Amino acid sequence: QVQLVESGGGLVQAGGSLRLSCAASGNIVSSNTMAWYRQPPGKQRDFVARVLPGGTANYATSVSGRFTIFRDNVKKTVYLQMNSLEPEDTGLYYCQLRMTVAGTAYDYWGQGTQVTVSS
């Protein structure tokens, strides 16, 4: 069983910063990808950023240059540093862990943490 627990959300003014954390526990293989998604009010869940086991990161165009994703493999934790926040960044942020075992991909999700950016 894999569990993901997010933290760090909150209310911030435009231009401010927040750091989200997602701690993973359970039976986790070392080769896994961790990512952040977000769901704005009334919209679908969209990709924000992903970090591969070796640390390579990918970003959605809308957050590139403002957000940084990084991981601590010892702590089994992924972080999302969000700078220069905009009202459009408001949403419920979800952590995802993807493991591939014997050719099958397994996705696990956290419960989400709310980020609200006021103008």
Side-chain angles (χ1 to χ4, degrees), residues 2 27-34 50-53 71 96-108:
V2 174
N27 191 12
I28 302 169
V29 299
S30 59
S31 179
N32 61 76
T33 298
M34 300 190 78
R50 113 176 10 99
V51 59
L52 304 181
R71 61 191 293 165
Q96 181 210 46
L97 183 147
R98 170 167 287 184
M99 298 191 299
T100 300
V101 180
T104 300
Y106 297 88
D107 287 339
Y108 301 89

PDB file of all heavy atoms in Angstrom, residues 2 27-34 50-53 71 96-108:
ATOM      1  N   VAL A   2       0.571   2.181  -0.875  1.00  0.00           N
ATOM      2  CA  VAL A   2       1.316   3.433  -0.993  1.00  0.00           C
ATOM      3  C   VAL A   2       0.420   4.577  -0.540  1.00  0.00           C
ATOM      4  O   VAL A   2      -0.745   4.643  -0.920  1.00  0.00           O
ATOM      5  CB  VAL A   2       1.781   3.654  -2.437  1.00  0.00           C
ATOM      6  CG1 VAL A   2       2.430   5.017  -2.587  1.00  0.00           C
ATOM      7  CG2 VAL A   2       2.743   2.556  -2.878  1.00  0.00           C
ATOM      8  N   ASN A  27       5.185   0.578   0.208  1.00  0.00           N
ATOM      9  CA  ASN A  27       6.029  -0.284  -0.607  1.00  0.00           C
ATOM     10  C   ASN A  27       6.317   0.406  -1.943  1.00  0.00           C
ATOM     11  O   ASN A  27       5.574   0.262  -2.902  1.00  0.00           O
ATOM     12  CB  ASN A  27       5.345  -1.621  -0.834  1.00  0.00           C
ATOM     13  CG  ASN A  27       6.278  -2.646  -1.439  1.00  0.00           C
ATOM     14  OD1 ASN A  27       7.488  -2.440  -1.482  1.00  0.00           O
ATOM     15  ND2 ASN A  27       5.728  -3.744  -1.920  1.00  0.00           N
ATOM     16  N   ILE A  28       7.404   1.171  -1.978  1.00  0.00           N
ATOM     17  CA  ILE A  28       7.726   1.995  -3.135  1.00  0.00           C
ATOM     18  C   ILE A  28       9.020   1.508  -3.766  1.00  0.00           C
ATOM     19  O   ILE A  28      10.021   1.376  -3.074  1.00  0.00           O
ATOM     20  CB  ILE A  28       7.868   3.473  -2.727  1.00  0.00           C
ATOM     21  CG1 ILE A  28       6.583   3.970  -2.065  1.00  0.00           C
ATOM     22  CG2 ILE A  28       8.224   4.342  -3.933  1.00  0.00           C
ATOM     23  CD1 ILE A  28       6.722   5.321  -1.403  1.00  0.00           C
ATOM     24  N   VAL A  29       8.987   1.268  -5.071  1.00  0.00           N
ATOM     25  CA  VAL A  29      10.214   0.914  -5.758  1.00  0.00           C
ATOM     26  C   VAL A  29      11.034   2.173  -5.968  1.00  0.00           C
ATOM     27  O   VAL A  29      10.494   3.272  -6.063  1.00  0.00           O
ATOM     28  CB  VAL A  29       9.924   0.230  -7.109  1.00  0.00           C
ATOM     29  CG1 VAL A  29       9.136  -1.047  -6.890  1.00  0.00           C
ATOM     30  CG2 VAL A  29       9.198   1.156  -8.056  1.00  0.00           C
ATOM     31  N   SER A  30      12.333   2.009  -6.027  1.00  0.00           N
ATOM     32  CA  SER A  30      13.214   3.179  -6.102  1.00  0.00           C
ATOM     33  C   SER A  30      13.072   3.932  -7.419  1.00  0.00           C
ATOM     34  O   SER A  30      13.218   5.147  -7.473  1.00  0.00           O
ATOM     35  CB  SER A  30      14.667   2.754  -5.894  1.00  0.00           C
ATOM     36  OG  SER A  30      15.036   1.802  -6.876  1.00  0.00           O
ATOM     37  N   SER A  31      12.771   3.214  -8.485  1.00  0.00           N
ATOM     38  CA  SER A  31      12.633   3.857  -9.782  1.00  0.00           C
ATOM     39  C   SER A  31      11.188   4.303  -9.961  1.00  0.00           C
ATOM     40  O   SER A  31      10.339   3.529 -10.409  1.00  0.00           O
ATOM     41  CB  SER A  31      13.041   2.898 -10.899  1.00  0.00           C
ATOM     42  OG  SER A  31      12.895   3.507 -12.159  1.00  0.00           O
ATOM     43  N   ASN A  32      10.900   5.515  -9.600  1.00  0.00           N
ATOM     44  CA  ASN A  32       9.536   6.022  -9.714  1.00  0.00           C
ATOM     45  C   ASN A  32       9.572   7.485 -10.153  1.00  0.00           C
ATOM     46  O   ASN A  32      10.566   8.178  -9.970  1.00  0.00           O
ATOM     47  CB  ASN A  32       8.794   5.889  -8.387  1.00  0.00           C
ATOM     48  CG  ASN A  32       9.441   6.674  -7.271  1.00  0.00           C
ATOM     49  OD1 ASN A  32       9.317   7.895  -7.205  1.00  0.00           O
ATOM     50  ND2 ASN A  32      10.139   5.983  -6.383  1.00  0.00           N
ATOM     51  N   THR A  33       8.484   7.912 -10.721  1.00  0.00           N
ATOM     52  CA  THR A  33       8.331   9.304 -11.139  1.00  0.00           C
ATOM     53  C   THR A  33       7.324   9.970 -10.226  1.00  0.00           C
ATOM     54  O   THR A  33       6.289   9.388  -9.908  1.00  0.00           O
ATOM     55  CB  THR A  33       7.843   9.369 -12.598  1.00  0.00           C
ATOM     56  OG1 THR A  33       8.824   8.775 -13.455  1.00  0.00           O
ATOM     57  CG2 THR A  33       7.624  10.817 -13.025  1.00  0.00           C
ATOM     58  N   MET A  34       7.637  11.181  -9.788  1.00  0.00           N
ATOM     59  CA  MET A  34       6.709  11.926  -8.949  1.00  0.00           C
ATOM     60  C   MET A  34       6.337  13.215  -9.665  1.00  0.00           C
ATOM     61  O   MET A  34       7.163  13.811 -10.367  1.00  0.00           O
ATOM     62  CB  MET A  34       7.319  12.202  -7.577  1.00  0.00           C
ATOM     63  CG  MET A  34       7.679  10.924  -6.820  1.00  0.00           C
ATOM     64  SD  MET A  34       8.123  11.207  -5.101  1.00  0.00           S
ATOM     65  CE  MET A  34       6.488  11.415  -4.368  1.00  0.00           C
ATOM     66  N   ARG A  50       6.844  17.354 -13.311  1.00  0.00           N
ATOM     67  CA  ARG A  50       7.207  15.978 -12.995  1.00  0.00           C
ATOM     68  C   ARG A  50       8.720  15.907 -12.811  1.00  0.00           C
ATOM     69  O   ARG A  50       9.465  16.668 -13.429  1.00  0.00           O
ATOM     70  CB  ARG A  50       6.707  15.028 -14.085  1.00  0.00           C
ATOM     71  CG  ARG A  50       7.704  14.349 -14.912  1.00  0.00           C
ATOM     72  CD  ARG A  50       7.175  13.350 -15.927  1.00  0.00           C
ATOM     73  NE  ARG A  50       5.784  13.298 -16.153  1.00  0.00           N
ATOM     74  CZ  ARG A  50       5.172  13.889 -17.186  1.00  0.00           C
ATOM     75  NH1 ARG A  50       5.889  14.598 -18.038  1.00  0.00           N
ATOM     76  NH2 ARG A  50       3.880  13.774 -17.339  1.00  0.00           N
ATOM     77  N   VAL A  51       9.151  15.002 -11.944  1.00  0.00           N
ATOM     78  CA  VAL A  51      10.592  14.790 -11.747  1.00  0.00           C
ATOM     79  C   VAL A  51      10.872  13.299 -11.818  1.00  0.00           C
ATOM     80  O   VAL A  51      10.203  12.484 -11.187  1.00  0.00           O
ATOM     81  CB  VAL A  51      11.077  15.404 -10.410  1.00  0.00           C
ATOM     82  CG1 VAL A  51      10.364  14.813  -9.209  1.00  0.00           C
ATOM     83  CG2 VAL A  51      12.587  15.265 -10.264  1.00  0.00           C
ATOM     84  N   LEU A  52      11.854  12.948 -12.628  1.00  0.00           N
ATOM     85  CA  LEU A  52      12.220  11.562 -12.843  1.00  0.00           C
ATOM     86  C   LEU A  52      13.136  11.076 -11.716  1.00  0.00           C
ATOM     87  O   LEU A  52      13.636  11.904 -10.928  1.00  0.00           O
ATOM     88  CB  LEU A  52      12.907  11.416 -14.200  1.00  0.00           C
ATOM     89  CG  LEU A  52      12.100  11.912 -15.398  1.00  0.00           C
ATOM     90  CD1 LEU A  52      12.880  11.701 -16.690  1.00  0.00           C
ATOM     91  CD2 LEU A  52      10.743  11.262 -15.450  1.00  0.00           C
ATOM     92  N   PRO A  53      13.378   9.783 -11.625  1.00  0.00           N
ATOM     93  CA  PRO A  53      14.209   9.277 -10.517  1.00  0.00           C
ATOM     94  C   PRO A  53      15.570   9.953 -10.408  1.00  0.00           C
ATOM     95  O   PRO A  53      16.065  10.180  -9.311  1.00  0.00           O
ATOM     96  CB  PRO A  53      14.349   7.789 -10.861  1.00  0.00           C
ATOM     97  CG  PRO A  53      13.148   7.458 -11.651  1.00  0.00           C
ATOM     98  CD  PRO A  53      12.839   8.693 -12.451  1.00  0.00           C
ATOM     99  N   ARG A  71      13.192  16.544  -5.639  1.00  0.00           N
ATOM    100  CA  ARG A  71      12.860  15.409  -4.792  1.00  0.00           C
ATOM    101  C   ARG A  71      14.015  15.072  -3.869  1.00  0.00           C
ATOM    102  O   ARG A  71      15.176  15.332  -4.185  1.00  0.00           O
ATOM    103  CB  ARG A  71      12.488  14.199  -5.649  1.00  0.00           C
ATOM    104  CG  ARG A  71      13.579  13.709  -6.581  1.00  0.00           C
ATOM    105  CD  ARG A  71      13.030  12.684  -7.588  1.00  0.00           C
ATOM    106  NE  ARG A  71      12.626  11.457  -6.920  1.00  0.00           N
ATOM    107  CZ  ARG A  71      11.857  10.528  -7.502  1.00  0.00           C
ATOM    108  NH1 ARG A  71      11.398  10.703  -8.734  1.00  0.00           N
ATOM    109  NH2 ARG A  71      11.546   9.419  -6.846  1.00  0.00           N
ATOM    110  N   GLN A  96       1.296  13.028  -7.419  1.00  0.00           N
ATOM    111  CA  GLN A  96       1.167  11.730  -8.059  1.00  0.00           C
ATOM    112  C   GLN A  96       2.491  10.991  -8.000  1.00  0.00           C
ATOM    113  O   GLN A  96       3.549  11.586  -8.216  1.00  0.00           O
ATOM    114  CB  GLN A  96       0.756  11.879  -9.531  1.00  0.00           C
ATOM    115  CG  GLN A  96       0.581  10.559 -10.260  1.00  0.00           C
ATOM    116  CD  GLN A  96       0.898  10.668 -11.748  1.00  0.00           C
ATOM    117  OE1 GLN A  96       1.906  11.252 -12.130  1.00  0.00           O
ATOM    118  NE2 GLN A  96       0.052  10.102 -12.574  1.00  0.00           N
ATOM    119  N   LEU A  97       2.418   9.698  -7.732  1.00  0.00           N
ATOM    120  CA  LEU A  97       3.589   8.819  -7.816  1.00  0.00           C
ATOM    121  C   LEU A  97       3.266   7.722  -8.819  1.00  0.00           C
ATOM    122  O   LEU A  97       2.206   7.090  -8.730  1.00  0.00           O
ATOM    123  CB  LEU A  97       3.921   8.212  -6.457  1.00  0.00           C
ATOM    124  CG  LEU A  97       5.178   7.333  -6.400  1.00  0.00           C
ATOM    125  CD1 LEU A  97       5.843   7.465  -5.030  1.00  0.00           C
ATOM    126  CD2 LEU A  97       4.857   5.870  -6.664  1.00  0.00           C
ATOM    127  N   ARG A  98       4.160   7.503  -9.759  1.00  0.00           N
ATOM    128  CA  ARG A  98       3.984   6.439 -10.748  1.00  0.00           C
ATOM    129  C   ARG A  98       5.130   5.454 -10.619  1.00  0.00           C
ATOM    130  O   ARG A  98       6.305   5.820 -10.701  1.00  0.00           O
ATOM    131  CB  ARG A  98       3.939   7.006 -12.162  1.00  0.00           C
ATOM    132  CG  ARG A  98       4.012   5.927 -13.255  1.00  0.00           C
ATOM    133  CD  ARG A  98       3.650   6.464 -14.612  1.00  0.00           C
ATOM    134  NE  ARG A  98       2.209   6.722 -14.719  1.00  0.00           N
ATOM    135  CZ  ARG A  98       1.617   7.130 -15.845  1.00  0.00           C
ATOM    136  NH1 ARG A  98       2.329   7.328 -16.944  1.00  0.00           N
ATOM    137  NH2 ARG A  98       0.328   7.352 -15.861  1.00  0.00           N
ATOM    138  N   MET A  99       4.755   4.190 -10.433  1.00  0.00           N
ATOM    139  CA  MET A  99       5.737   3.121 -10.390  1.00  0.00           C
ATOM    140  C   MET A  99       5.443   2.149 -11.522  1.00  0.00           C
ATOM    141  O   MET A  99       4.285   1.898 -11.839  1.00  0.00           O
ATOM    142  CB  MET A  99       5.668   2.367  -9.055  1.00  0.00           C
ATOM    143  CG  MET A  99       5.978   3.204  -7.845  1.00  0.00           C
ATOM    144  SD  MET A  99       6.199   2.183  -6.363  1.00  0.00           S
ATOM    145  CE  MET A  99       4.592   1.399  -6.248  1.00  0.00           C
ATOM    146  N   THR A 100       6.494   1.606 -12.107  1.00  0.00           N
ATOM    147  CA  THR A 100       6.339   0.582 -13.135  1.00  0.00           C
ATOM    148  C   THR A 100       6.921  -0.712 -12.599  1.00  0.00           C
ATOM    149  O   THR A 100       8.110  -0.776 -12.273  1.00  0.00           O
ATOM    150  CB  THR A 100       7.033   0.984 -14.444  1.00  0.00           C
ATOM    151  OG1 THR A 100       6.455   2.210 -14.911  1.00  0.00           O
ATOM    152  CG2 THR A 100       6.833  -0.089 -15.505  1.00  0.00           C
ATOM    153  N   VAL A 101       6.068  -1.717 -12.494  1.00  0.00           N
ATOM    154  CA  VAL A 101       6.478  -3.014 -11.968  1.00  0.00           C
ATOM    155  C   VAL A 101       6.105  -4.081 -12.988  1.00  0.00           C
ATOM    156  O   VAL A 101       4.931  -4.205 -13.370  1.00  0.00           O
ATOM    157  CB  VAL A 101       5.797  -3.308 -10.617  1.00  0.00           C
ATOM    158  CG1 VAL A 101       6.239  -4.666 -10.087  1.00  0.00           C
ATOM    159  CG2 VAL A 101       6.098  -2.209  -9.604  1.00  0.00           C
ATOM    160  N   ALA A 102       7.130  -4.824 -13.435  1.00  0.00           N
ATOM    161  CA  ALA A 102       6.912  -5.888 -14.415  1.00  0.00           C
ATOM    162  C   ALA A 102       6.133  -5.379 -15.624  1.00  0.00           C
ATOM    163  O   ALA A 102       5.237  -6.058 -16.141  1.00  0.00           O
ATOM    164  CB  ALA A 102       6.183  -7.068 -13.772  1.00  0.00           C
ATOM    165  N   GLY A 103       6.478  -4.171 -16.059  1.00  0.00           N
ATOM    166  CA  GLY A 103       5.874  -3.614 -17.258  1.00  0.00           C
ATOM    167  C   GLY A 103       4.523  -2.959 -17.067  1.00  0.00           C
ATOM    168  O   GLY A 103       3.942  -2.456 -18.032  1.00  0.00           O
ATOM    169  N   THR A 104       4.001  -2.966 -15.863  1.00  0.00           N
ATOM    170  CA  THR A 104       2.704  -2.343 -15.588  1.00  0.00           C
ATOM    171  C   THR A 104       2.904  -1.086 -14.754  1.00  0.00           C
ATOM    172  O   THR A 104       3.607  -1.128 -13.748  1.00  0.00           O
ATOM    173  CB  THR A 104       1.780  -3.317 -14.842  1.00  0.00           C
ATOM    174  OG1 THR A 104       1.576  -4.487 -15.639  1.00  0.00           O
ATOM    175  CG2 THR A 104       0.430  -2.663 -14.567  1.00  0.00           C
ATOM    176  N   ALA A 105       2.265   0.005 -15.190  1.00  0.00           N
ATOM    177  CA  ALA A 105       2.366   1.276 -14.474  1.00  0.00           C
ATOM    178  C   ALA A 105       1.259   1.379 -13.433  1.00  0.00           C
ATOM    179  O   ALA A 105       0.094   1.074 -13.714  1.00  0.00           O
ATOM    180  CB  ALA A 105       2.276   2.441 -15.453  1.00  0.00           C
ATOM    181  N   TYR A 106       1.640   1.809 -12.242  1.00  0.00           N
ATOM    182  CA  TYR A 106       0.699   2.008 -11.147  1.00  0.00           C
ATOM    183  C   TYR A 106       0.777   3.465 -10.717  1.00  0.00           C
ATOM    184  O   TYR A 106       1.863   3.974 -10.444  1.00  0.00           O
ATOM    185  CB  TYR A 106       1.045   1.098  -9.963  1.00  0.00           C
ATOM    186  CG  TYR A 106       0.951  -0.379 -10.288  1.00  0.00           C
ATOM    187  CD1 TYR A 106       2.054  -1.047 -10.814  1.00  0.00           C
ATOM    188  CD2 TYR A 106      -0.231  -1.077 -10.087  1.00  0.00           C
ATOM    189  CE1 TYR A 106       1.977  -2.400 -11.128  1.00  0.00           C
ATOM    190  CE2 TYR A 106      -0.311  -2.416 -10.392  1.00  0.00           C
ATOM    191  CZ  TYR A 106       0.784  -3.078 -10.910  1.00  0.00           C
ATOM    192  OH  TYR A 106       0.709  -4.409 -11.226  1.00  0.00           O
ATOM    193  N   ASP A 107      -0.361   4.119 -10.674  1.00  0.00           N
ATOM    194  CA  ASP A 107      -0.441   5.521 -10.266  1.00  0.00           C
ATOM    195  C   ASP A 107      -1.099   5.645  -8.897  1.00  0.00           C
ATOM    196  O   ASP A 107      -2.133   5.025  -8.640  1.00  0.00           O
ATOM    197  CB  ASP A 107      -1.251   6.342 -11.272  1.00  0.00           C
ATOM    198  CG  ASP A 107      -0.496   6.567 -12.568  1.00  0.00           C
ATOM    199  OD1 ASP A 107       0.737   6.449 -12.566  1.00  0.00           O
ATOM    200  OD2 ASP A 107      -1.152   6.868 -13.582  1.00  0.00           O
ATOM    201  N   TYR A 108      -0.499   6.474  -8.055  1.00  0.00           N
ATOM    202  CA  TYR A 108      -1.038   6.757  -6.737  1.00  0.00           C
ATOM    203  C   TYR A 108      -1.176   8.268  -6.586  1.00  0.00           C
ATOM    204  O   TYR A 108      -0.346   9.036  -7.096  1.00  0.00           O
ATOM    205  CB  TYR A 108      -0.122   6.190  -5.651  1.00  0.00           C
ATOM    206  CG  TYR A 108       0.074   4.702  -5.743  1.00  0.00           C
ATOM    207  CD1 TYR A 108       1.112   4.181  -6.512  1.00  0.00           C
ATOM    208  CD2 TYR A 108      -0.782   3.823  -5.098  1.00  0.00           C
ATOM    209  CE1 TYR A 108       1.289   2.805  -6.633  1.00  0.00           C
ATOM    210  CE2 TYR A 108      -0.609   2.454  -5.202  1.00  0.00           C
ATOM    211  CZ  TYR A 108       0.420   1.957  -5.964  1.00  0.00           C
ATOM    212  OH  TYR A 108       0.583   0.590  -6.079  1.00  0.00           O
TER     213      TYR A 108
END
